[in-house]
Amino acid sequence: MRNEILIVAVLGIAAAGCSKSVPVVQSPDGRIAVTLDRNDSSLSYRVDVDGHPLILPSGLGFVADGLVSAPDARMSLAFAEADTVWHQPWGENKEIRDHYNEMAMTLADSALTMTFRVRAFDDGVAFRYEWDASGRDSITVMDELTEFAFAEEATTWSIPADFDSYEKNYRVLPVDSVPDANTPFTFMTNSSGIFGSIHEAALYDFPEMTLRRDTASARTLRASLAPMPDGVKAVTPSRFTTPWRTIQIGRKATDLINSSMILNLNEPCRIDDISWIKPQKYIGVWWGMHLGTQTWTMGPRHGATTANAILHIDFAKANDIQGVLFEGWNEGWENWGGNQHFDYIKAYADFDIDSIARYAAANGIELWAHNETGGNIPEYEAVLDSAFAYYQSLGIHTVKTGYAGGFKGGYYHHSQYGVRHYQKVVETAARYHLMIDAHEPIKETGIRRTWPNMMTREGARGMEWNAWSEGNSADYLCILPFVRLLSGPMDYTPGIFDINYNRAKADKGRLEWNGPNADCCIKTTIARQIANWVIIYSPLQMASDLIENYDGQPGFKFFRDFNADCDWSEALMGEIGRYIVVARRAGESYFIGAGTDSEARTLELPLTFLPEGKTYTADIYADDIESGDPSRLAISSRTLTSADTLTIQMAPTGGQAVTLVPVRN
């Protein structure tokens, strides 16, 4: 019989004889407070904002073996504070302030040292568990007991909990109607109007945390960990630190987007030489496969051919695009959905990868590799080093990975097994100077601070859903920045210009590989497609349409001018599910992206974020309101300064994109 004990019980016993409430830790601005409370058998925490409860006393702990503490365990408290500024090689903001107050409660006896560490920031709170049972080889974790008990009714935005996929539509539900959810889990309290989001940071060697409703308390959500096939949640070393459990907090919805708390909870960069890590724009043969005009497998419609590669490299060079990606370049795609056997080195006969790599290098274009695993993790890990060494020899610096299929052995994508694998790929890639773009990934938890070659991920319904399903609505796109994007960059693959798929529908031999798609189309205006390059942040940003659909399109100038390597970003305006306005600066140029839901909307945007005393030439890509045609743009230019206000007029499902370039005297 497994010797199981609740860590919460250990904490409660150890605190016997101490005061009922340990001291409070407050955020630097004093608005947010976290208090630890105990009764005879358990420990709980609560969170107050502006003197009012946000999270009521909520349970803490794990069910695990080997974490047995003596009743006379010594208790100590330690307090710390930090206020530093650090710089990252790329990101929404390259300069980040890390400012918090910390409280750590440690319980120690001869067999176990347990620390519960809490940090309070101006933009939220975080806590984690640290244990050291040095007399044991390992600890088996069966369950986590962390709770989030809401003090009042709240409106929530989330996707259902799923240990294999994040590609779900959002639900808008009262908190007491949420059966389960993945994180980030965004909410707004109904009476106090506080915005928040529950997530986790620094997820390593541990299963992801989802949330499930406590049937005994309707407004309480409990942590639920992705299990292994045998039901065990995690096996950890005897000395271990869990991921941070986080609650981002803001007065406005945009405060959540502008928070750097998740990044700040991760460790500094572990890669010594980061000169090879470079944001970029890219194109590729991807959209045609989803539309059914091309195939991943070799044949008359094969997308990744030598001739097609040369066309894309030439297009990239002519349009100031740094990278090209070719899915379906390697042998094995005929096995997709079967034994999931892919060859990560041998190219199809019609894709001369050596000559393509030389041609790309000669033209200053970065060639990407694509690795679809189909979930065959043992096979992929067996060749990881040899494949990455081969890519490095070709001058490749970016790999897009894919996991479209169930993991062998019954493992979940988001279990400890999966988390370990995804991290192994990142660390192996770093040794070979390769950046990673992960699809079907484990969710982002800020590890890009520590491993900045982890550039971007999918982790939500991306553009491809528009090719063969009901698609992603403008309302969905107005929720995405306030939920999924709170965790980090997303490779959504924006920028479809042929929004009705006229070219694809004219192709009489078009394939329907995922069911009928004759009525599929993009559910936004073309102006919103352009704006998404700014709104949906990724340091690797794709122009995803067929390159033929960009020829002769004046709106494509925005992408040519756009710089994916931004220095500063801010969400300026927004309401969850209704509209969003984001500005980014790269060098001296600024880019604005705005989008609305299914309603037409006019916003007045003060340009006070621009430096005073400078004049900018603004190229404005707006909806053609007069025609009412979502496939048409209204393009104009004017000069603007920080004293001006920009009127953003958007059609239903529409948007607006703006470039601001300083005027040279």
Side-chain angles (χ1 to χ4, degrees), residues 291-608:
L291 287 178
T293 61
Q294 295 177 324
T295 62
W296 284 275
T297 54
M298 195 169 73
R301 288 183 172 270
H302 192 202
T305 66
T306 301
N308 216 4
I310 300 303
L311 285 175
H312 281 74
I313 291 168
D314 289 344
F315 182 88
K317 183 178 181 180
N319 289 277
D320 193 27
I321 295 168
Q322 294 80 39
V324 291
L325 164 70
F326 299 100
E327 295 196 16
W329 69 274
N330 58 317
E331 291 189 357
W333 280 92
E334 58 277 0
N335 301 313
W336 189 49
N339 63 12
Q340 304 289 46
H341 169 72
F342 294 87
D343 192 311
Y344 300 102
I345 293 177
K346 189 175 182 181
Y348 278 119
D350 59 353
F351 190 83
D352 186 346
I353 190 170
D354 293 313
S355 66
I356 291 167
R358 288 193 298 271
Y359 188 76
N363 285 276
I365 301 300
E366 291 275 348
L367 180 64
W368 289 32
H370 178 247
N371 289 172
E372 175 55 60
T373 70
N376 192 337
I377 304 307
E379 181 178 85
Y380 188 44
E381 290 190 352
V383 300
L384 203 55
D385 276 282
S386 57
F388 284 6
Y390 177 55
Y391 304 152
Q392 185 184 48
S393 74
L394 293 172
I396 291 172
H397 294 105
T398 310
V399 175
K400 176 181 176 180
T401 58
Y403 298 88
F407 281 7
K408 289 186 178 297
Y411 290 98
Y412 286 119
H413 284 64
H414 310 156
S415 66
Q416 184 183 37
Y417 174 87
V419 172
R420 284 173 171 170
H421 167 73
Y422 290 116
Q423 188 58 31
K424 181 176 183 177
V425 172
V426 172
E427 295 186 24
T428 304
R431 294 202 303 272
Y432 294 97
H433 288 190
L434 293 171
M435 298 178 285
I436 294 296
D437 170 5
H439 281 230
E440 297 82 39
I442 187 63
K443 61 191 175 187
E444 166 69 303
T445 59
I447 71 163
R448 56 194 166 110
R449 178 183 181 184
T450 312
W451 299 96
N453 65 316
M454 183 60 254
M455 303 293 285
T456 190
R457 310 172 193 235
E458 187 185 36
R461 285 170 58 116
M463 180 63 77
E464 69 275 12
W465 283 80
N466 295 290
W468 34 254
S469 78
E470 75 281 3
N472 297 333
S473 68
D475 299 57
Y476 168 89
L477 291 170
C478 286
I479 297 175
L480 192 70
F482 299 96
V483 186
R484 160 62 181 86
L485 294 180
L486 297 183
S487 67
M490 179 183 177
D491 189 31
Y492 182 84
T493 58
I496 301 300
F497 275 29
D498 184 7
I499 63 175
N500 293 310
Y501 312 160
N502 293 324
R503 185 181 300 274
K505 290 174 181 177
D507 186 340
K508 301 304 181 183
R510 181 186 182 198
L511 305 173
E512 291 187 338
W513 65 272
N514 200 48
N517 53 20
D519 296 326
C520 295
C521 66
I522 297 296
K523 302 301 190 294
T524 74
T525 68
I526 190 172
R528 178 60 185 276
Q529 289 295 299
I530 295 173
N532 283 343
W533 281 320
V534 181
I535 296 170
I536 304 175
Y537 174 70
S538 178
L540 306 176
Q541 191 61 282
M542 188 182 196
S544 62
D545 208 343
L546 308 176
I547 58 174
E548 300 92 330
N549 291 332
Y550 295 129
D551 286 337
Q553 285 278 5
F556 195 61
K557 182 178 184 296
F558 182 91
F559 194 70
R560 289 196 297 269
D561 294 339
F562 181 68
N563 188 344
D565 188 10
C566 68
D567 298 292
W568 166 89
S569 301
E570 187 173 333
L572 301 171
M573 306 172 70
E575 295 182 34
I576 304 174
R578 299 188 65 205
Y579 66 93
I580 179 67
V581 182
V582 176
R584 307 194 193 277
R585 177 178 62 81
E588 294 185 282
S589 297
Y590 288 80
F591 305 93
I592 301 172
T596 185
D597 58 4
S598 55
E599 295 184 14
R601 200 175 304 277
T602 299
L603 303 172
E604 299 296 329
L605 178 67
L607 300 180
T608 52

Side-chain angles (χ1 to χ4, degrees), residues 73-96:
R74 301 176 304 280
M75 173 179 167
S76 62
L77 291 170
F79 294 85
E81 58 184 41
D83 190 0
T84 59
V85 173
W86 59 279
H87 296 80
Q88 54 183 341
W90 59 267
E92 301 94 323
N93 295 283
K94 288 186 178 168
E95 181 177 287
I96 296 180

Side-chain angles (χ1 to χ4, degrees), residues 17-208:
C18 300
S19 61
K20 182 175 176 60
S21 296
V22 298
V24 175
V25 61
Q26 291 186 316
S27 58
D29 64 5
R31 291 187 59 237
I32 302 171
V34 185
T35 304
L36 295 178
D37 294 290
R38 69 165 181 86
N39 57 34
D40 292 337
S41 61
S42 65
L43 186 80
S44 65
Y45 76 100
R46 72 174 189 265
V47 179
D48 297 288
V49 179
D50 296 326
H52 301 286
L54 177 69
I55 301 296
L56 295 174
S58 300
L60 296 166
F62 288 87
V63 177
D65 71 342
L67 296 174
V68 181
S69 181
D72 59 349
R74 301 176 304 280
M75 173 179 167
S76 62
L77 291 170
F79 294 85
E81 58 184 41
D83 190 0
T84 59
V85 173
W86 59 279
H87 296 80
Q88 54 183 341
W90 59 267
E92 301 94 323
N93 295 283
K94 288 186 178 168
E95 181 177 287
I96 296 180
R97 185 184 184 189
D98 186 9
H99 191 196
Y100 63 83
N101 293 325
E102 179 181 283
M103 175 173 63
M105 185 185 72
T106 299
L107 305 164
D109 59 36
S110 60
L112 173 68
T113 299
M114 174 69 67
T115 298
F116 181 73
R117 191 175 305 275
V118 185
R119 287 182 183 173
F121 301 79
D122 289 345
D123 51 352
V125 301
F127 53 88
R128 72 183 184 192
Y129 307 85
E130 304 165 10
W131 58 72
D132 184 355
S134 54
R136 295 181 57 87
D137 293 330
S138 63
I139 300 296
T140 300
V141 176
M142 298 303 298
D143 199 7
E144 180 171 351
L145 305 175
T146 302
E147 295 178 339
F148 303 87
F150 286 80
E152 59 176 279
E153 289 294 339
T155 302
T156 72
W157 294 262
S158 68
I159 60 173
D162 188 320
F163 297 137
D164 270 324
S165 176
Y166 305 115
E167 298 186 30
K168 310 288 183 182
N169 260 320
Y170 290 115
R171 310 162 304 180
V172 184
L173 294 171
V175 70
D176 58 7
S177 297
V178 175
D180 54 53
N182 223 303
T183 71
F185 175 83
T186 300
F187 62 87
M188 180 190 70
T189 58
N190 291 357
S191 60
S192 58
I194 295 294
F195 289 88
S197 183
I198 298 171
H199 191 41
E200 56 185 315
L203 174 58
Y204 293 98
D205 199 14
F206 209 67
E208 76 161 358

